[in-house]
């Protein structure tokens, strides 16, 4: 038998280590060539590691959440040597040439099952917090006659014989209104456990009596407001990256936020018309129209479309607009980048936004799609909000946040020397800036420039 040590390869420029965010194998598992071993996360992306050989996993490098240096052993695989494995020197040279990051080591006894490459403790999983025990299967049933008669001496045990309980569960339909069913579902109560005369519906009073009886017997139905045990969750993977990036941004950047109200009535009317005639093109949201307005106005405000290297003391004002798009995924917040947004029309932007959003949700973004932004847009979409104070995506110096669109009455000149009260669609637009690089006057002036385009949307398509 021969053993191969799979070393963590160089998975990105300037990357010195990566975090284990998921294991797809365990010690003792048989793996095939090209089978997934682990997911490793860097500052830029999550990369799937695949096995270059077939064999049995005998060692793994740590637990989920641990950091592994580039070039350090990740997995040791024991292979079958018949006809395939040559001498250590020859085979090692061949394998190293074909798969940099894979190294053959001499035969040696396998460690006890479960031992890892490091000296730290082996994880055996975390136990959950205690939960309220579920009621016993033979929960007592309440006779409606007892409820109606209101026995002063308390309830008697209305437990049905086992055979009758089974027969009812298998054959008798449970009659109850949708409201009773919904309430029982919220309380995790099986309606078939409540005894009522045949053919009658289960009412709220029957459910109340059932709960009172069970409470008297020491059982408690789960409730949405019942206290739960504490839970400890390790901050790893994407959540750890978000925590580190947000802390670094707030620690190093003196933020300020400016918010102004924009009348987007005409913009929303135009967007509805464009969507009604879009054909096979993607449906337009507000975001691609906002990005077009940003690209139109940023050349006059180069201090906003920039990256600040605070260690070198250099601000790089970009000649191109690479827009970061904050996207929420199951794993957490990620920011894919729409490159060269200034060269794309509104439909091309909509297509690229949809593609990046789908890739983000699927965890398929590449390192190139996650870096190099010059300004970021963040939006909560239909969830919205009155105003936001977004956190800058360091080393960028500005981030823009459109907020919820609301309808309100406003005064509009009627051309006759007076005003009419009309219904308007209004949206607050937030911008957070790095006060080391951007002055408040510049941020306010930029939002006013954006406002002109968004309130007169025909300008978005004018040459």
């Amino acid at each position: 038998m021969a053993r191969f040590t799979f070393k963590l390869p160089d998975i990105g420029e300037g990357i010195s280590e990566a975090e284990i965010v998921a294991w797809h194998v365990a010690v003792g598992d048989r793996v095939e060539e090209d089978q997934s071993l682990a997911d490793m996360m860097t500052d830029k992306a999550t990369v799937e590691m695949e096995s270059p050989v077939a064999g049995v996993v005998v060692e793994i490098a740590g637990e989920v959440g641990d950091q592994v240096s580039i070039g350090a052993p990740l997995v040791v695989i024991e292979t079958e040597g018949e006809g395939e494995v040559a001498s250590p020197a020859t085979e090692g040279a061949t394998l190293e040439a074909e798969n940099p990051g894979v190294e053959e080591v001499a035969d040696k006894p396998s460690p006890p099952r479960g031992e890892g490459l490091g000296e730290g403790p082996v994880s055996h999983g975390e136990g959950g917090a205690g939960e309220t025990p579920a009621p016993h299967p033979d929960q007592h049933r309440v006779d409606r006659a007892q409820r109606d008669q209101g026995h002063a001496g308390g309830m008697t045990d209305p437990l049905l014989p086992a055979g009758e309980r089974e027969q009812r569960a298998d054959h008798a339909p449970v009659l109850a209104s949708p409201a009773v069913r919904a309430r029982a579902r919220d309380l995790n109560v099986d309606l078939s456990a409540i005894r009522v005369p045949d053919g009658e519906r289960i009412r709220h009073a029957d459910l109340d009596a059932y709960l009172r009886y069970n409470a008297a017997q020491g059982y408690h139905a789960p409730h949405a407001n019942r206290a739960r045990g504490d839970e400890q969750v390790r901050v790893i993977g994407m959540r750890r990256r978000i925590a580190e990036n947000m802390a670094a941004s707030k620690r190093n950047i003196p933020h300020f936020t400016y918010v102004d109200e924009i009348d987007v009535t005409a913009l929303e009317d135009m967007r509805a018309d464009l969507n009604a005639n879009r054909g096979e093109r993607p449906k337009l949201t507000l975001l691609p129209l906002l990005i077009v307005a940003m690209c139109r106005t940023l050349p006059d405000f180069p201090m906003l479309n920039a990256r600040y290297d605070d260690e070198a003391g250099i601000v790089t004002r970009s000649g191109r607009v690479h827009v970061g798009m904050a996207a929420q995924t199951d794993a957490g917040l990620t920011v894919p980048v729409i490159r060269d947004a200034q060269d794309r029309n509104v439909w091309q932007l909509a297509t690229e936004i949809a593609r990046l959003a789908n890739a983000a949700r699927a965890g398929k973004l590449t390192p190139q799609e996650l870096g190099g932004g010059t300004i970021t847009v963040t939006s909560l979409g239909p969830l919205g909000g009155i105003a936001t104070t977004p956190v800058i995506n360091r080393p960028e110096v500005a981030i823009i946040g459109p907020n919820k669109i609301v309808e309100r009455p406003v005064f509009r000149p009627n051309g006759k020397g007076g005003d009419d009260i009309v219904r308007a669609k209004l949206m607050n637009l937030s911008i957070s800036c790095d006060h080391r690089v951007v002055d408040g006057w510049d941020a306010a002036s930029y939002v006013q420039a954006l406002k002109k385009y968004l309130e007169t949307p025909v300008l978005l398509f004018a040459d």
Side-chain angles (χ1 to χ4, degrees), residues 428-450:
N428 288 337
L429 185 70
S430 303
I431 183 170
S432 291
C433 299
D434 186 339
H435 221 326
R436 300 172 299 177
V437 179
V438 182
D439 295 330
W441 178 269
D442 294 326
S445 299
Y446 178 67
V447 171
Q448 297 309 309
L450 275 178

Side-chain angles (χ1 to χ4, degrees), residues 142-144 147-148 194-197 200-211:
V142 176
D143 194 318
R144 174 173 289 171
R147 184 207 71 225
D148 294 338
I194 301 176
R195 181 179 183 182
V196 295
E200 291 197 21
R201 290 179 177 271
I202 297 174
R203 299 178 295 181
H204 285 288
D206 300 309
L207 185 54
D208 291 337
Y210 172 83
L211 294 172

Side-chain angles (χ1 to χ4, degrees), residues 233-289:
V233 180
R234 292 189 66 193
V235 181
I236 62 172
M238 180 72 76
R239 191 75 259 162
R240 176 191 283 177
R241 300 295 178 187
I242 294 171
E244 292 172 348
N245 293 340
M246 292 298 101
S249 180
K250 295 295 287 185
R251 182 173 58 249
N252 292 284
I253 299 177
H255 286 63
F256 75 89
T257 301
Y258 174 85
V259 183
D260 198 6
E261 186 178 72
I262 298 177
D263 186 339
V264 293
T265 305
L267 181 69
E268 284 294 279
D269 290 343
M270 184 187 73
R271 186 171 71 88
D273 290 339
L274 290 171
N275 280 329
N277 298 280
R278 73 180 191 273
E280 299 298 321
R281 292 174 292 194
K283 186 176 181 179
L284 286 180
T285 63
L286 177 70
L287 189 55
L289 296 167

Side-chain angles (χ1 to χ4, degrees), residues 94-410:
T94 304
L95 191 60
E96 187 70 25
E98 294 178 353
N99 299 283
V102 180
E103 175 186 57
E104 183 186 20
V105 297
D107 283 346
K108 59 181 179 181
S110 299
R113 185 179 181 91
E115 288 187 5
L117 294 172
E119 298 179 356
V122 178
S123 174
H124 297 286
E126 298 179 2
E131 298 178 356
T132 303
H136 190 276
D138 285 340
Q139 286 181 356
H140 298 165
R141 300 152 193 261
V142 176
D143 194 318
R144 174 173 289 171
Q146 291 180 337
R147 184 207 71 225
D148 294 338
Q149 294 170 7
H151 292 290
M155 295 182 182
T156 59
D157 183 354
L159 182 64
L160 295 176
E164 186 177 343
R165 292 200 306 272
E166 293 173 1
Q167 181 179 3
R168 177 176 180 182
D170 292 340
H171 303 290
V174 176
L175 302 178
S177 69
V180 171
R181 292 182 183 276
R183 185 179 171 213
R185 185 165 53 249
D186 291 339
L187 293 169
N188 198 24
V189 171
D190 182 4
L191 288 178
S192 66
I194 301 176
R195 181 179 183 182
V196 295
D198 291 341
E200 291 197 21
R201 290 179 177 271
I202 297 174
R203 299 178 295 181
H204 285 288
D206 300 309
L207 185 54
D208 291 337
Y210 172 83
L211 294 172
R212 285 195 302 271
Y213 184 84
N214 278 337
Q217 303 302 313
Y219 301 125
H220 299 278
H223 193 275
N225 294 329
R226 188 175 299 281
R228 298 182 301 173
D230 294 341
E231 180 183 8
Q232 291 186 337
V233 180
R234 292 189 66 193
V235 181
I236 62 172
M238 180 72 76
R239 191 75 259 162
R240 176 191 283 177
R241 300 295 178 187
I242 294 171
E244 292 172 348
N245 293 340
M246 292 298 101
S249 180
K250 295 295 287 185
R251 182 173 58 249
N252 292 284
I253 299 177
H255 286 63
F256 75 89
T257 301
Y258 174 85
V259 183
D260 198 6
E261 186 178 72
I262 298 177
D263 186 339
V264 293
T265 305
L267 181 69
E268 284 294 279
D269 290 343
M270 184 187 73
R271 186 171 71 88
D273 290 339
L274 290 171
N275 280 329
N277 298 280
R278 73 180 191 273
E280 299 298 321
R281 292 174 292 194
K283 186 176 181 179
L284 286 180
T285 63
L286 177 70
L287 189 55
L289 296 167
L290 175 60
I291 293 175
V292 171
M294 291 168 57
C295 293
R296 292 253 178 184
T297 51
L298 280 173
D300 294 330
F301 298 88
M303 75 292 292
L304 291 167
N305 189 45
R307 296 166 66 90
Y308 181 32
D309 185 343
D310 47 11
E311 293 184 359
I314 296 176
V315 177
T316 302
R317 295 181 172 182
S318 178
R320 296 176 176 272
V321 182
H322 304 312
V323 180
M325 180 187 74
Q328 188 67 35
T329 70
D330 291 340
L333 184 68
T334 187
V335 187
V337 176
I338 305 168
R339 300 201 170 276
D340 292 310
Q342 77 284 342
D343 294 334
R344 303 175 188 259
N345 62 37
V346 67
W347 299 109
Q348 292 169 334
L349 287 170
T351 300
E352 182 67 357
I353 288 169
R355 185 188 72 80
L356 290 173
N358 290 333
R361 285 190 289 268
K364 300 297 184 182
L365 290 169
T366 65
Q368 293 73 25
E369 293 170 333
L370 284 167
T374 58
I375 190 170
T376 294
V377 175
T378 178
S379 172
L380 293 174
L383 189 61
I386 296 174
T388 52
T389 56
V391 178
I392 297 168
N393 187 26
R394 190 170 177 253
E396 298 168 19
V397 300
I399 181 170
I400 294 173
N403 297 290
K404 180 169 58 178
I405 297 175
V406 297
E407 287 190 336
R408 287 206 303 267
V410 298

Side-chain angles (χ1 to χ4, degrees), residues 58-111:
V58 294
E59 298 180 27
I60 58 175
E63 307 171 1
V64 170
D66 290 347
Q67 300 282 345
V68 179
S69 299
I70 300 299
L74 183 65
V75 179
V76 175
I77 301 174
E78 191 172 74
T79 63
E80 298 178 359
E82 293 79 11
E84 295 184 11
V85 180
S87 64
T90 305
E91 179 65 16
T94 304
L95 191 60
E96 187 70 25
E98 294 178 353
N99 299 283
V102 180
E103 175 186 57
E104 183 186 20
V105 297
D107 283 346
K108 59 181 179 181
S110 299

